[in-house]
Every structure is written in structure tokens, then in C-alpha cells.
Amino acid sequence: MSGHNKWSQIKRQKGTEDGKRSKLFGMLGKTISIEAKRAGGDRNLPGLRAAIEKARAANMPNENIDRAIKNATEKGNAELLEVLYEAYGPGGVAILIEGITDNNNRTSQEIRHLLAEHGGNLATPGSVTWAFQKINNLEWLAETKKEIGAEDREKINNLLEELENHEDIKKVVTNLQN
């Protein structure tokens, strides 16, 4: 009767939920830090206020929010950068990768490696954004859709899963036809 222990099931489910929550809180903390740096720590400015509201909606503890603001406004802490990588995946699918990082060189090399493993490549800035439109300065929407075969679809799905699991990646958008 192994595997039928209720505690084992609870522990496994809690572990996966905690992992997802940890990644979400980390990304929200980075977003708050960037906005706090821009706002100079003023919580009344719209960008920082929106980031805090988004974190509260995800049940992020107030301690974590305060720590992110404090770290961003203190001198000598690592500066976080918002980055946008453009890539082509298997079958010529256009991919936009948004992220927040403290080391652009490390992150770009890690993304380049993930793309190469799954049959994609990093593109030059501006070579992929033509296929997308930015809405309200927040969301990217694909204007042209790309149709691919089953083999390439499996490769792109594996690539997208790996990219979304990367700690510095905030969002991944493709022009893949559903």
C-alpha cells in the first residue's frame, strides 16, 4: 500500500504549490523593486502602487513588500534591469521574452543556451517585435500567427516550459497559431 499515505500526498501537493508561490513572489518582489527605484520609494505614485496591489492580490506578505521597497531605495544594492529578448523558436515561431535580472550577461547566455537546446536562436533587437503589437504598454499581442507541424509544436512547448521556469523570466509571448 505504498503511496497511499495521506501525509505524503499533502506534502507533495504543498511542495509544488510552495514552489509556484515562491517563483511568483520573487518576480513580484523584483517588479516592486524596479518601480520603487523609479518612484524613489513614494508609495503614492501609480507604478509602485499598481505593483503593490498586484502583490497583495497574490497574497504576498507585507514584510516581503516592505523589504523589496527598502532594498530598492538603499544605496549599494544590485540594480535590477528590465530586459526584452527576441528569439526565433522551432519552425520559425517568433518569441518575445520579458524578464527582470540583476546581471544581463548571465541571463542572456542562459536564455541563449535554452534556445539552442530546443532548436531556437536569439535574434537581434527589432527583428521579432514587428510580429507583435504592444497594448497599453503592458501586454504584447501577436499580429501575425505562425502555423507549425506537430514535431515543432512539441519542441516549442518544451522550450516555453523551460523558459517559464527560469527565475529571471517574467513573461513569454509567441505568435504560435493555437
Side-chain angles (χ1 to χ4, degrees), residues 41-61:
D42 184 6
R43 292 176 180 243
N44 295 324
L45 291 178
L48 181 55
R49 189 172 56 229
I52 291 172
E53 288 173 6
K54 190 173 183 180
R56 286 192 175 137
N59 294 325
M60 186 173 179

Side-chain angles (χ1 to χ4, degrees), residues 137-148:
N137 288 333
L138 296 173
E139 297 287 325
W140 289 98
L141 181 67
E143 288 186 331
T144 60
K145 299 286 187 173
K146 178 81 172 174
E147 185 94 23
I148 59 173

Side-chain angles (χ1 to χ4, degrees), residues 106-167:
R106 174 187 48 84
T107 304
S108 65
Q109 290 305 316
E110 289 174 356
I111 289 175
R112 185 184 313 268
H113 177 72
L114 285 174
L115 288 166
E117 276 185 340
H118 295 282
N121 59 347
L122 209 53
T124 58
S127 63
V128 173
T129 52
W130 65 268
F132 297 91
Q133 177 184 10
K134 193 157 190 172
I135 301 173
N136 298 331
N137 288 333
L138 296 173
E139 297 287 325
W140 289 98
L141 181 67
E143 288 186 331
T144 60
K145 299 286 187 173
K146 178 81 172 174
E147 185 94 23
I148 59 173
E151 184 178 321
D152 285 336
R153 184 172 292 276
E154 185 177 331
K155 287 180 184 178
I156 195 81
N157 287 337
N158 291 337
L159 172 62
L160 294 176
E161 184 178 324
E162 291 235 7
L163 286 171
E164 288 173 356
N165 288 334
H166 192 280
E167 66 183 27

